[in-house]
Amino acid sequence: MVVIGRVKERETLDHLVAALREGMSQVLVLRGDAGIGKTALLGYTCGVATGLRVVRVAGVEAETGLPFAGLHRLLIPFLRAPRGLPAARHQALLVAFGLADGPPADRFLVGLAALTLLAEAAADGPVLCCVDDAQWLDEDSLEVLAFIGRRLHAEAVGLLFAARGGFDGLAGLPVAHIGGLEEPYALELLRSAVASGAPDQGGLDARVAARVVAATGGNPLALTDLARELSADQLTGGLSLPDPLPVGGRLEEHYLRRVRGLPEPTRTWLLLASAEPGGDVGYITKAAAVLGVGPDAADEAEAARLVTVRGAVEFRHPLVRSAVYGGATSARRRAAHRALATATTRPADADLRAWHGAAACVGSDEEVAVELTRAAERAGGRGGYAARVAFLTRAAELTPEGADRTDRTLAAAEAALTAGAPLQAQALLDGMAGDPADDIGRGRALIVRAGALVVLGGPGAFGQGASLCLSAALAFGAHAPDLAREALLEAIEHTIRAEHLLSGTTPLEIAGAAEDLLARTGTSDPPDLLLRAFAHAVRDGHERAVPHIRRAVEALLDPGTPEDLVLRRYLTAASLSLLLWDGAAHRAVIRRAAGVARRTGALWQLDIALYCAAMVETYLGELAAADDLLAQCHEVRSAIGGTDELWAIYRHPELLAWHAGRDDLAEILRGSMEAGSWLGSGSVESIARIGMVVLALGRGDYAQARAVAQRVIGSDATGVHSRLLPDLVEAAVRCGDRVLATATLATLASRAKATGTGWALGVLARSQALLAPADHAEPLYLQAITLLSAAGVRADLARAHLLYGEWLRRCKRRRDARDQLNTAVEMFERMGAAGFAARAAHELAATGETARRRSAGTAPDLTPQELAVARLAAGGATNGEIAAQLFISASTVDYHLRKVFRKLGVTSRRQLTPVIGGSAGA
């Protein structure tokens, strides 16, 4: 395609195609006003992409409510032979496209499947996918395509979009803003259009040309249309130009005037074509017959250069379609949709038929509302959650006033929350004409309000969410015990995350409601075991809760426990398992959830699971593993569209404090604490405070450590921060506050003996040694070291060596102290715990010896993604396994590994381990 001007834009697109030929992937969104030339630039790119496999589709406004419709059309050429597509991903695509039955797939699993499919296709040669009018794609397709665009790197796959200005539905993708043609090129285009349209009309007056170019702002569509519409006298300056010229918003009015000049049958045919999203000639012809219009009515439309009729009807420009549809009266549009609903008879198009039926309605229509409800269920069954919301919302609008309308509005609100649209869910609830008719309906509405509050965040969000869920559980009561159980579990999770920011209810009230439910319908299933464990932890204390927590954790880890239940309840199980002082059990819960989330493409849940897994590794002292997990977490957040600002809020404060490598660390921790308060999450705030305790202890600031630890423990209603008790004992002893230390030690002793794990008894012995008389302390330190070594808890073991060494130095046993302190320094340095390593080295220097510095390998100049790939490779993962872990393609893994080898000067994966170590994963 010949494109006049656009030098910079063509250079950009030439570079895009060249990069594809070299094996790199490219993504670009062309954004600009209607008629500005985006479609022409897509055509130019397709023209220069010789030798590439090119697929081109366009969004259609009438298709925006159909789930995955745009994605399906784009991927049709690749679906025939998906060679390397794993079975689960292939099934996810087929279900999403309505080509197979099965449980609805997470939209990110659909995205991973589509990414894999395109990468496999590009193995035979570069692939370029061009999507015009992206603003008219359905929301489900947009989210998947944005996901693919964020994960592409070295697959030789290109995604090129064109979208109207102001459209922001492809978040995180690079954008090129397309403006009008520069004046010389605009004049050239105008002259060319005049010459081709009317070569015998004479020359184009220079003043007329300048005015036309200025008035159009260099908009190519406006220029070419004006060249054809203006008379010879107007072009040569003999007659004045119309005022105003049909440009900008008036360009659509210009097309509408042309349409109104056509015969009535042709206008009706055009309206039907504008309302049929796929341009299906058969449906349009049948619908025209319903309205008494013959097939020859299309001839005038083609002659007027408004459409082209081939295999499907194609409008000359989206503005023409908009002018036809928008310019018709509402009565004519309804008649067109009614005819199309009659003509749309293929079973596969049942959703489209329902949508046409809805568009044909004015006022209520129960029959159509029922059809829309069925379409909503089909959309939800395919994972088209955004489409499900649209269908249910319209169904509610068409339902006569009364209980059914309220119930359908409530169902739409529930669907909106599931689709990740909490504001829409709130608006639907607020717009209900009346309250639900029964307790179950009221409970459902409360659950939606709670979920929307928590998703949106804000001061008190989790606390209010817990209160609303408790009210919902009480409303469900004996009417719906299963719903009451789920509501109570939601209330517990919100309570754990709210912590001291809980408002409107108390843990005791939730525990009481749980016990009442269990007395009526209690079972030995995981949900009831979790309810029972929480109730005992709150009402009966840590010691009595331990066996119930163990049973609940074991039940959740049972292979027979449904995966969706694992994803819904692992956070509650993981939080309660902190009371067990059992690192293996805590790890197992998180890893089970991460494995399920990774396999099913549930990336939001995987993001949280990886963050929790990093927390586990941090307090166990495996800081390198925690760093790896956070790197994976960052990859997942990038894939789902997370921003740098979001990443800054969710940096792991405790891990940062252990590393203690930044001068502004205290400020960062305060920022994390404020973020937790702003989000309404007391748990996030507490994690930041625990980071402050770790930082203070590493620096020897015991007064700060005591104050912060005392605050966290004092507001811990469930005991989930019991691991802070040894820190408070140490800080209190060093501050000379033996009363506080003794009281804290008594609490620790009771809880540690109840769990009986080596970790718990090890930190108990270490804490007892701090308060013990001189002749009893040493055996306790040795016991602590033995127990913690066997438990494999590096952080607490290193601190036991440190405290023992400090005690030995104060006992004037310098030689013995040096052995312990050297061990502590080495362990902390290997962990990467800079603050504690410095404290141990300072103590060692006081014995007259300088710490032996351990040489450590480094990974210079590696990007976060390169480091994540390298660590997984060093841990023995294959390219395919690494791709699955990081949600990229195997081609991108290979590309990054080649760069890593070159940067580090190594030639094999085995050589990576001494430099960067291996990843434990999650």
Side-chain angles (χ1 to χ4, degrees):
M1 174 178 286
V2 177
V3 175
I4 295 175
R6 303 292 189 199
V7 176
K8 291 181 179 179
E9 291 90 341
R10 283 187 285 138
E11 285 178 357
T12 297
L13 297 171
D14 289 342
H15 170 75
L16 182 149
V17 172
L20 292 176
R21 290 198 172 103
E22 292 171 3
M24 300 303 295
S25 294
Q26 295 287 298
V27 181
L28 185 63
V29 180
L30 306 177
R31 188 182 292 164
D33 294 337
I36 207 67
K38 305 182 295 296
T39 300
L41 288 171
L42 288 184
Y44 168 81
T45 309
C46 294
V48 298
T50 53
L52 275 64
R53 187 175 183 181
V54 178
V55 179
R56 187 168 179 177
V57 298
V60 180
E61 184 175 4
E63 203 175 59
T64 54
L66 303 179
F68 298 113
L71 182 69
H72 186 193
R73 287 193 287 111
L74 182 69
L75 295 184
I76 281 174
F78 309 108
L79 285 172
R80 298 186 183 94
R83 296 172 303 180
L85 194 60
R89 296 185 184 181
H90 188 206
Q91 179 70 6
L93 278 181
L94 294 179
V95 170
F97 297 154
L99 303 175
D101 294 327
D106 188 286
R107 69 187 64 179
F108 291 121
L109 182 59
V110 176
L112 290 169
L115 171 63
T116 307
L117 190 68
L118 289 172
E120 287 291 331
D124 296 328
V127 171
L128 174 63
C129 299
C130 296
V131 182
D132 205 353
D133 286 314
Q135 73 276 358
W136 298 132
L137 289 178
D138 61 279
E139 189 174 337
D140 298 298
S141 294
L142 277 173
E143 290 190 7
V144 169
L145 289 170
F147 170 85
I148 295 170
R150 290 190 292 266
R151 304 317 291 159
L152 286 173
H153 193 87
E155 301 82 358
V157 173
L159 287 183
L160 182 61
F161 300 92
R164 297 269 182 96
F167 171 72
D168 58 0
L170 292 164
L173 304 188
V175 175
H177 294 279
I178 309 301
L181 290 171
E182 296 176 354
E183 184 177 9
Y185 298 117
L187 288 169
E188 180 183 347
L189 176 62
L190 181 61
R191 293 190 185 100
S192 173
V194 169
S196 62
D200 300 326
Q201 286 184 354
L204 174 65
D205 183 81
R207 289 171 300 175
V208 170
R211 184 185 166 194
V212 169
V213 168
T216 60
N219 183 299
L221 182 65
L223 288 168
T224 53
D225 271 16
L226 281 172
R228 294 184 175 98
E229 294 299 320
L230 296 177
S231 68
D233 287 337
Q234 289 172 324
L235 291 170
T236 56
L239 286 177
S240 61
L241 297 176
D243 189 21
L245 285 170
V247 295
R250 296 185 297 275
L251 191 55
E252 192 167 317
E253 298 173 12
H254 163 69
Y255 285 126
L256 182 57
R257 285 195 297 273
R258 290 178 58 183
V259 170
R260 286 173 176 163
L262 295 171
E264 172 64 24
T266 301
R267 295 203 306 272
T268 299
W269 185 92
L270 277 172
L271 178 57
L272 290 166
S274 71
E276 209 303 303
D280 190 303
V281 176
Y283 282 165
I284 295 169
T285 302
K286 287 169 66 177
V290 171
L291 297 178
V293 174
D296 56 348
D299 297 344
E300 292 275 358
E302 280 199 281
R305 298 181 63 254
L306 296 175
V307 296
T308 301
V309 182
R310 296 191 183 93
V313 177
E314 296 179 9
F315 280 84
R316 175 170 180 242
H317 191 276
L319 280 177
V320 179
R321 182 191 288 269
S322 297
V324 172
Y325 190 81
T329 64
S330 57
R332 283 173 58 84
R333 285 199 297 267
R334 287 195 299 274
H337 282 292
R338 192 175 300 111
L340 284 166
T342 302
T344 304
T345 54
R346 288 191 290 267
D349 292 331
D351 292 351
L352 179 59
R353 182 170 60 253
W355 198 251
H356 280 311
C361 290
V362 56
S364 60
D365 189 316
E366 177 63 17
E367 184 178 346
V368 175
V370 169
E371 283 298 315
L372 286 171
T373 303
R374 292 172 183 157
E377 294 312 307
R378 287 192 294 269
R382 293 162 55 184
Y385 299 115
R388 182 167 179 257
V389 177
F391 282 128
L392 285 173
T393 301
R394 183 61 176 143
E397 292 169 352
L398 294 178
T399 304
E401 292 287 350
D404 285 346
R405 181 168 190 163
T406 299
D407 190 61
R408 283 174 180 156
T409 304
L410 177 54
E414 291 171 324
L417 186 62
T418 301
L423 287 172
Q424 185 179 6
Q426 286 183 334
L428 284 163
L429 290 182
D430 292 341
M432 287 197 306
D435 292 331
D438 55 22
D439 289 338
I440 292 178
R442 282 191 286 276
R444 289 168 58 200
L446 288 168
I447 290 292
V448 173
R449 288 202 182 278
L453 268 174
V454 166
V455 172
L456 292 169
F462 285 97
Q464 294 174 53
S467 180
L468 288 170
C469 286
L470 175 59
S471 297
L474 296 175
F476 292 136
H479 308 295
D482 289 343
L483 293 177
R485 181 177 291 106
E486 286 297 309
L488 283 172
L489 286 166
E490 286 293 304
I492 289 170
E493 184 168 317
H494 297 334
T495 296
I496 290 171
R497 297 178 74 176
E499 289 194 8
H500 54 281
L501 300 179
L502 190 65
S503 61
T505 189
T506 67
L508 278 172
E509 290 177 300
I510 296 171
E515 288 182 330
D516 290 344
L517 177 68
L518 292 169
R520 294 195 307 270
T521 63
T523 69
S524 59
D525 291 337
D528 282 349
L529 292 175
L530 285 170
L531 287 177
R532 193 171 287 112
F534 176 82
H536 280 289
V538 171
R539 293 175 72 89
D540 302 328
H542 183 286
E543 295 77 10
R544 292 190 180 182
V546 165
H548 297 284
I549 295 171
R550 282 204 176 103
R551 282 195 289 272
V553 168
E554 289 167 2
L556 200 71
L557 292 175
D558 188 288
T561 300
E563 291 188 339
D564 65 322
L565 177 60
V566 171
L567 285 184
R568 291 202 315 274
R569 299 301 162 219
Y570 80 92
L571 279 175
T572 300
S575 298
L576 291 175
S577 71
L578 287 169
L579 280 66
L580 300 178
W581 290 85
D582 186 341
H586 198 56
R587 267 182 177 142
V589 171
I590 301 298
R591 287 183 175 179
R592 174 87 196 276
V596 171
R598 197 183 296 280
R599 187 166 53 257
T600 59
L603 298 196
W604 285 111
Q605 290 91 332
L606 180 60
D607 173 36
I608 298 171
L610 289 173
Y611 188 84
C612 292
M615 290 176 61
V616 177
E617 300 305 327
T618 297
Y619 63 65
L620 293 177
E622 305 297 338
L623 304 189
D627 288 332
D628 276 355
L629 289 162
L630 277 190
Q632 292 181 40
C633 190
H634 190 268
E635 288 297 317
V636 172
R637 283 192 188 155
S638 298
I640 59 182
T643 62
D644 290 339
E645 291 79 8
L646 182 66
W647 178 246
I649 289 175
Y650 284 101
R651 283 178 297 191
H652 197 313
E654 189 175 355
L655 180 58
L656 289 173
W658 273 102
H659 284 313
R662 298 178 57 146
D663 294 335
D664 60 346
L665 187 53
E667 182 179 341
I668 290 173
L669 296 179
R670 282 193 296 273
S672 295
M673 189 177 67
E674 291 168 1
S677 179
W678 180 82
L679 291 167
S681 174
S683 61
V684 172
E685 189 177 320
S686 292
I687 293 169
R689 292 189 190 279
I690 291 171
M692 291 179 176
V693 173
V694 171
L695 184 64
L697 287 173
R699 293 176 175 176
D701 187 351
Y702 301 112
Q704 167 81 351
R706 178 186 63 173
V708 178
Q710 199 171 3
R711 178 169 181 176
V712 174
I713 291 171
S715 60
D716 182 13
T718 57
V720 295
H721 297 308
S722 293
R723 64 189 179 88
L724 214 55
L725 291 169
D727 296 343
L728 183 53
V729 172
E730 179 183 344
V733 168
R734 293 292 190 244
C735 290
D737 189 347
R738 294 185 70 85
V739 173
L740 175 59
T742 302
T744 305
L745 180 61
T747 302
L748 175 59
S750 175
R751 295 182 180 182
K753 290 173 183 176
T755 64
T757 64
W759 181 14
L761 296 175
V763 294
L764 172 61
R766 189 186 76 194
S767 301
Q768 288 171 328
L770 287 167
L771 283 163
D775 56 343
H776 288 83
E778 188 162 21
L780 289 168
Y781 279 125
L782 293 173
Q783 181 186 2
I785 288 170
T786 300
L787 288 168
L788 293 171
S789 179
V793 189
R794 292 176 69 191
D796 280 312
L797 176 60
R799 288 176 63 181
H801 283 291
L802 171 60
L803 291 172
Y804 184 27
E806 290 175 339
W807 180 83
L808 288 168
R809 187 181 74 79
R810 285 163 178 76
C811 291
K812 310 298 184 184
R813 294 166 56 184
R814 292 191 172 189
R815 182 176 296 176
D816 292 336
R818 288 168 186 161
D819 290 339
Q820 297 299 321
L821 292 171
N822 265 313
T823 299
V825 169
E826 184 176 357
M827 288 188 71
F828 285 130
E829 286 186 344
R830 286 186 180 277
M831 285 168 51
F836 276 94
R839 173 178 155 184
H842 178 76
E843 284 288 326
L844 184 59
T847 70
E849 182 173 322
T850 302
R852 298 185 296 271
R853 286 291 173 186
R854 181 178 70 91
S855 61
T858 58
D861 302 326
L862 296 186
T863 67
Q865 193 170 68
E866 288 168 355
L867 185 59
V869 167
R871 281 183 166 157
L872 288 168
T878 65
N879 282 13
E881 290 167 342
I882 296 170
Q885 286 273 89
L886 301 181
F887 304 100
I888 53 181
S889 69
S891 302
T892 296
V893 173
D894 181 68
Y895 171 81
H896 283 314
L897 274 179
R898 282 187 275 113
K899 290 185 69 178
V900 167
F901 284 6
R902 186 169 64 251
K903 288 181 178 182
L904 300 183
V906 300
T907 57
S908 73
R909 296 175 185 235
R910 289 191 301 274
Q911 294 174 308
L912 290 172
T913 303
V915 181
I916 60 170
S919 173

